[in-house]
Amino acid sequence: VFEFGTPEQQAHILPRMASAEDLWCQGWSEPNAGSDLASLTCKATRDDERGGWVLDGQKTWTTRGAFCSHLFGLFRTEPDAPKHAGISYLLVDMRSKGIEVRPLRQMTGGADFNEVFFSDVRIPADSIVGRRGEGWKVSRSTLKHERNLIGDPRYLRNSFDSLVELARRSQRNGRPALEDSNVRQRLAEIEGYVCSQEYSGQRQFSAALRGQELATLLPILMNKLYSTDAMQRITRLAFDLLGGDGLVAPVAEEYG
């Protein structure tokens, strides 16, 4: 929406996204279109008499689809066009008539992922982002920003702050674990990794604001690797602090 949306879409949608008044999920994958996403068949047909689009088909692996108010997704609008063409990027109100959301229950008992079924779902004509049949191009922009968020340093910082709080509440030899020299040493080491990720993110963000490409793609490509390593260190210490309690899984979130 930020790059391809109309001024009207930007003025209405972006503030509601930023305030979390509207929560969005992603409708891309289908039962027969996962890694080969361009083979998707969930269709959107223009209703020339009544106006708008009519959606029919299915999406799957929709993260938190049961809790989101809106969906952005890829739909086949020109079935006779080449595979990567004829796809449009549409915005859908999840409260529209004809939408059914079913949980994909995991072995943990949770249902973060969902299947979404569209049956004669009608959405306004201005729900399209970008040009008709060029949704694949718009989706590349979405993925670009998604890749930039992999290894989000804010998530690491929040996780580290929670770890420090856990060390403050936990006991070791009758004293707060935070006072233990070994725990403090491990926390200091972990925070070094967290700070490194934060500074790298700031560098990339500053370059993007200036419209500059970094001299090397290595910082971007390594974001996930570095953040995964740091998160493993955070989790390892957290389990050490929890002891036997770390073997007890939290109560699975009920499907809403």
Side-chain angles (χ1 to χ4, degrees), residues 49-69:
E49 293 185 3
R50 299 173 57 183
W53 300 90
V54 181
L55 311 180
D56 288 282
Q58 178 186 355
K59 296 293 182 180
T60 192
W61 303 119
T62 305
T63 304
R64 300 191 68 77
F67 306 100
C68 291
S69 59

Side-chain angles (χ1 to χ4, degrees), residues 155-182:
Y155 177 76
L156 275 181
R157 173 57 66 179
N158 290 338
S159 298
F160 177 76
D161 291 344
S162 297
L163 177 64
V164 173
E165 180 59 30
L166 176 62
R168 185 175 286 111
R169 297 196 315 266
S170 302
Q171 294 288 311
R172 179 163 290 192
N173 298 322
R175 299 174 61 86
L178 190 59
E179 298 179 8
D180 184 276
S181 60
N182 179 262

Side-chain angles (χ1 to χ4, degrees), residues 12-24:
H12 177 71
I13 296 173
L14 295 179
R16 297 170 68 90
M17 282 184 172
S19 66
E21 185 174 353
D22 292 339
L23 298 178
W24 291 76

Side-chain angles (χ1 to χ4, degrees), residues 123-222:
I123 61 175
D126 60 1
S127 299
I128 189 169
V129 178
R131 295 182 178 179
R132 177 173 176 169
E134 295 186 2
W136 192 256
K137 176 182 178 181
V138 181
S139 73
R140 299 305 90 188
S141 173
T142 301
L143 289 175
K144 175 187 70 176
H145 291 289
E146 182 177 311
R147 283 193 292 267
N148 286 338
L149 285 173
I150 292 177
D152 183 1
R154 292 172 299 178
Y155 177 76
L156 275 181
R157 173 57 66 179
N158 290 338
S159 298
F160 177 76
D161 291 344
S162 297
L163 177 64
V164 173
E165 180 59 30
L166 176 62
R168 185 175 286 111
R169 297 196 315 266
S170 302
Q171 294 288 311
R172 179 163 290 192
N173 298 322
R175 299 174 61 86
L178 190 59
E179 298 179 8
D180 184 276
S181 60
N182 179 262
V183 172
R184 295 176 70 87
Q185 178 64 36
R186 292 175 67 180
L187 286 171
E189 179 184 7
I190 293 171
E191 187 169 26
Y193 287 96
V194 174
C195 288
S196 176
Q197 191 77 354
E198 288 176 328
Y199 298 149
S200 178
Q202 291 169 2
R203 179 187 177 213
Q204 295 170 42
F205 183 63
S206 297
L209 287 177
R210 294 193 298 267
Q212 299 175 349
E213 295 291 338
L214 293 175
T216 173
L217 288 175
L218 185 61
I220 297 175
L221 297 177
M222 298 301 285

